[in-house]
Amino acid sequence: MHLMLEFGGGLELLCESVKVHNVNVDMPKGADKLTMKDLLAWVRTNLIKERPEMFMKGESVRPGVLVLVNDCDWELSGQLDTTLEDKDVVVFISTLHGG
Amino acid sequence: MEADAKPMKLGGRLCCVCNQRRAALKRPKTLEQICRECFYAVFEEEIHQVILENKLFKPGERIAIGASGGKDSTVLAYVLSELNRRHNYGLDLFLLSVDEGITGYRDDSLETVKRNELQYGLPLKIVSYKDLYGWTMDEIVKMIGLKNNCTFCGVFRRQALDRGAALLKVDKVATGHNADDIAETVLLNILRGDIARLSRCTSIITGEDGPIPRCKPFKYTYEKEIFMITLGCQSLNELSTYAYFKKLDYFSTECIYSPNAYRGFAREFIKDLERIRPRAILDIIKSGEDFRIATSTKMPEQGTCERCGYISSQKWCKACVLLEGLNRGLPKLGIGRNQGLNSDAKKDIKKDDRTKSIESKQCGSLEF
C-alpha cells in the first residue's frame, strides 16, 4: 500500500531531517486491512532513527503529537483504529516544541 | 440527508456547524466536530470576543506583537491584523522580536519574522541581547555551559521585550501565550511555590501598573487549534475557497540550548492530561484564577532597580544581578535559591532583607 507520510514540528529530526516520505507499507500477515496502529509500529521500526520516545508512547503517538489522515484530525476517524487506504496522506506534527 | 439527523449518524464526519462539509477537527474545548471553513470562522470570532469582553485594546492604541517566528506569534500577528481590519479596532500594529543571539536557531526564526513583516505589512523592530546587554546567548552558554542558561535567557528576554516596546512607543504588548502555556505556567508556579507569579500568571492583562502592560489574546486558545490554523493554511491552496488561506509561514525547531528545560516536564504532563480530558487545560487555568492567597502572605513590593531603573522587587533587578555575574566572571550569581550562590558573591550584592521576596521561599510555605 502506497502512503505519503509527513513529519513536522521537529519530528523530522528523528528521521534524518526528511519531512516527506513516500513509502510502501504491507498489511500485517493475515490481516485484510492496515490500521494506524500498524502504521505507527511500521514507522517506528523503519523510519525513526533516534529517540523513538519523542514520537511514541506505548503503542500510540506521544501526547502532544497531532495526527492528520488526509488533512483530517485522526480523533475523528478513530485514532489507532483508523483504517488506511492506498495513497492516503498521514501527517505527524509535534506540538511539544516552543511556539 | 435529513436536516434533523445528527451528524454522528452520518458517518461521524459532518461539521456540527454547517452540517454540510466533512469535519476536519475535533475541538478540544468543546469536543465538537467541525470543518475547516467553519473552524477558521469560529476561531477568529472567539478571539474577537475575548478581545472585546476583556477590553484588551482601545481605539488608537499602538500595539506591539511579541513575534518569535514560532506558530503562536505568527498566528497572533495574522489574526490581529485581520481582526483589526475587519472590526475597525483602530490599532497601529507592530512586530517586536528579540534576537537572543543563538546561531542556527534565532537567526533562522528571525528570517520568518521578516517574511511576516512583508506578508502582513506590519513594521518590525528587532532588539538584540548583544545591543542591550553586551552578550549573546552563544557567548553566555560558552561561559556558563548548559545549566541555568535558560534562566539568563528568560530574564533577559522579558526585559528586552519591554525595552523594545518602549523604543516603539507602544501602549501594550500582545504575546502569543496559549491556554496550554498558561496551564503549564500555573503548574510550574505551584511546583516552585512561587505565589507571586501564580497570582499573576493567569491574568489576561498584566503589568497595568507598570509602563507597558501585556496581554494574551490566546489565553483560552488551545495549542492544538493554533496548530490546526497553521496546518490548514499549508494545504489550503487545494482545499479551500477562502482567499486568505495562504500558507502561514512559521518556524518550529526546538531551541538548541533548552533540551532539558524543566518546563518540558510540565508541558508533557499537560499533554497527557489533555489526552484523557481536554477540558483539563481550561480547568487548570480556572484553578489558577481562583487560587486565593492568604491575606497574611507578604507579597514582594514592586520597586525599581537602582542600577537600570527597571521594575524590581529587589535592590537590583534580576537581569542586572545576572549581568553583573557574567561581567565579573561569577556566572552563578543570582541563580537558584541557596545552592550555587557562593558566599563571596552574596556579600557583594548585599541582598536587601527588608523586602525579601516570597519567591525565594522554599516550597511548602503555600497557604491555602
Side-chain angles (χ1 to χ4, degrees):
Chain A
M1 185 179 300
H2 181 253
L3 300 169
M4 188 168 117
L5 310 180
E6 199 179 322
F7 295 83
L11 288 178
E12 68 278 10
L13 299 175
L14 309 182
C15 21
E16 297 174 319
S17 295
V18 179
K19 286 197 173 192
V20 178
H21 298 254
N22 284 294
V23 297
N24 277 301
V25 183
D26 294 328
M27 286 182 210
K29 279 194 186 86
D32 56 355
K33 60 180 185 179
L34 181 77
T35 65
M36 276 300 296
K37 187 177 166 184
D38 305 324
L39 178 67
L40 286 177
W42 186 90
V43 166
R44 187 187 169 132
T45 312
N46 295 282
L47 291 183
I48 303 291
K49 303 291 185 211
E50 54 179 306
R51 291 178 289 166
E53 71 281 2
M54 298 285 287
F55 179 62
M56 291 190 58
K57 189 164 182 172
E59 62 185 16
S60 189
V61 292
R62 188 178 168 193
V65 173
L66 283 185
V67 183
L68 293 129
V69 180
N70 299 332
D71 272 321
C72 191
D73 186 356
W74 81 327
E75 289 185 38
L76 293 175
S77 54
Q79 295 177 313
L80 288 175
D81 298 328
T82 307
T83 304
L84 294 167
E85 285 164 25
D86 195 41
K87 298 195 175 65
D88 275 352
V89 179
V90 184
V91 179
F92 302 98
I93 306 266
S94 171
T95 64
L96 289 159
H97 294 163
Chain B
M1 276 185 225
E2 288 165 37
D4 59 347
K6 275 190 172 178
M8 291 285 286
K9 299 273 184 255
L10 301 165
R13 291 289 173 105
L14 281 192
C15 169
C16 71
V17 177
C18 66
N19 232 338
Q20 288 176 350
R21 285 176 292 254
R22 193 174 69 115
L25 163 72
K26 188 166 171 185
R27 299 198 69 191
K29 209 183 291 191
T30 58
L31 305 182
E32 289 169 315
Q33 312 185 55
I34 191 165
C35 72
R36 242 171 240 296
E37 288 81 353
C38 292
F39 169 60
Y40 289 115
V42 166
F43 181 91
E44 291 174 9
E45 183 57 24
E46 283 182 7
I47 304 299
H48 176 55
Q49 290 306 326
V50 167
I51 289 171
L52 291 188
E53 281 163 22
N54 296 280
K55 301 185 177 66
L56 296 189
F57 309 118
K58 293 191 198 79
E61 277 188 332
R62 291 164 67 87
I63 306 294
I65 299 163
S68 64
K71 63 173 194 327
D72 300 304
S73 57
T74 301
V75 173
L76 183 65
Y78 164 73
V79 171
L80 283 188
S81 55
E82 188 63 29
L83 292 177
N84 188 33
R85 194 167 28 237
R86 191 183 305 161
H87 298 288
N88 298 314
Y89 289 169
L91 303 176
D92 273 328
L93 298 174
F94 300 86
L95 296 171
L96 173 57
S97 292
V98 176
D99 181 0
E100 296 93 342
I102 304 175
T103 310
Y105 172 66
R106 189 50 91 210
D107 45 357
D108 289 354
S109 59
L110 284 175
E111 289 307 311
T112 310
V113 182
K114 286 174 190 164
R115 286 195 296 271
N116 291 163
E117 178 186 22
L118 298 175
Q119 284 160 352
Y120 308 134
L122 303 177
L124 165 67
K125 170 86 191 161
I126 301 176
V127 288
S128 74
Y129 282 9
K130 186 72 180 172
D131 291 345
L132 292 176
Y133 309 110
W135 292 76
T136 64
M137 273 314 290
D138 286 342
E139 291 163 352
I140 292 173
V141 168
K142 206 176 270 174
M143 174 156 177
I144 67 167
L146 287 173
K147 217 178 159 196
N148 300 320
N149 55 307
C150 294
T151 303
F152 282 82
C153 199
V155 169
F156 285 171
R157 185 179 311 104
R158 209 182 153 70
Q159 268 201 29
L161 260 188
D162 278 336
R163 294 187 190 282
L167 288 171
L168 281 171
K169 298 189 175 62
V170 293
D171 300 291
K172 214 170 266 162
V173 175
T175 58
H177 294 104
N178 58 46
D180 299 47
D181 296 332
I182 295 169
E184 244 170 71
T185 309
V186 169
L187 280 184
L188 281 178
N189 284 332
I190 290 174
L191 292 171
R192 290 171 177 151
D194 190 338
I195 313 180
R197 286 205 176 81
L198 180 59
S199 61
R200 289 198 291 263
C201 72
T202 55
S203 306
I204 194 160
I205 303 180
T206 52
E208 279 183 295
D209 46 345
I212 303 167
R214 294 189 180 194
C215 68
K216 304 173 191 133
F218 287 165
K219 177 183 167 185
Y220 303 102
T221 309
Y222 277 70
E223 184 155 61
K224 175 180 171 184
E225 298 204 336
I226 294 176
F227 258 97
M228 293 302 290
I229 294 276
T230 60
L231 288 178
C233 295
Q234 283 171 3
S235 46
L236 244 118
N237 295 336
E238 12 158 352
L239 273 176
S240 171
T241 53
Y242 277 47
Y244 65 84
F245 284 149
K246 289 171 284 186
K247 175 182 171 178
L248 282 189
D249 192 354
Y250 78 95
F251 184 81
S252 66
T253 301
E254 191 170 20
C255 172
I256 53 172
Y257 294 139
S258 74
N260 300 312
Y262 187 43
R263 185 172 271 275
F265 295 108
R267 168 164 286 254
E268 210 178 325
F269 180 66
I270 293 282
K271 299 293 182 198
D272 286 350
L273 287 180
E274 184 187 12
R275 175 167 289 181
I276 299 164
R277 206 174 80 94
R279 284 264 341 165
I281 289 180
L282 289 181
D283 292 346
I284 288 173
I285 297 176
K286 180 88 175 92
S287 307
E289 287 169 343
D290 290 351
F291 205 86
R292 267 169 228 275
I293 293 153
T295 46
S296 58
T297 307
K298 206 167 97 191
M299 298 297 270
E301 283 173 43
Q302 289 285 29
T304 49
C305 171
E306 282 184 10
R307 197 165 175 228
C308 72
Y310 188 75
I311 44 162
S312 172
S313 55
Q314 309 282 324
K315 192 172 170 184
W316 282 14
C317 71
K318 190 84 171 168
C320 282
V321 175
L322 293 175
L323 204 52
E324 177 75 4
L326 281 177
N327 290 334
R328 292 179 37 200
L330 299 167
K332 282 182 180 163
L333 217 58
I335 295 287
R337 297 205 160 101
N338 302 314
Q339 70 189 46
L341 242 181
N342 75 50
S343 51
D344 270 9
K346 224 186 227 166
K347 250 179 266 164
D348 271 64
I349 289 303
K350 286 195 186 101
K351 272 201 152 185
D352 194 347
D353 282 340
R354 192 170 38 86
T355 56
K356 195 164 178 274
S357 161
I358 59 161
E359 284 165 29
S360 61
K361 272 192 191 172
Q362 293 294 335
C363 298
S365 57
L366 280 174
E367 288 179 62
F368 290 88

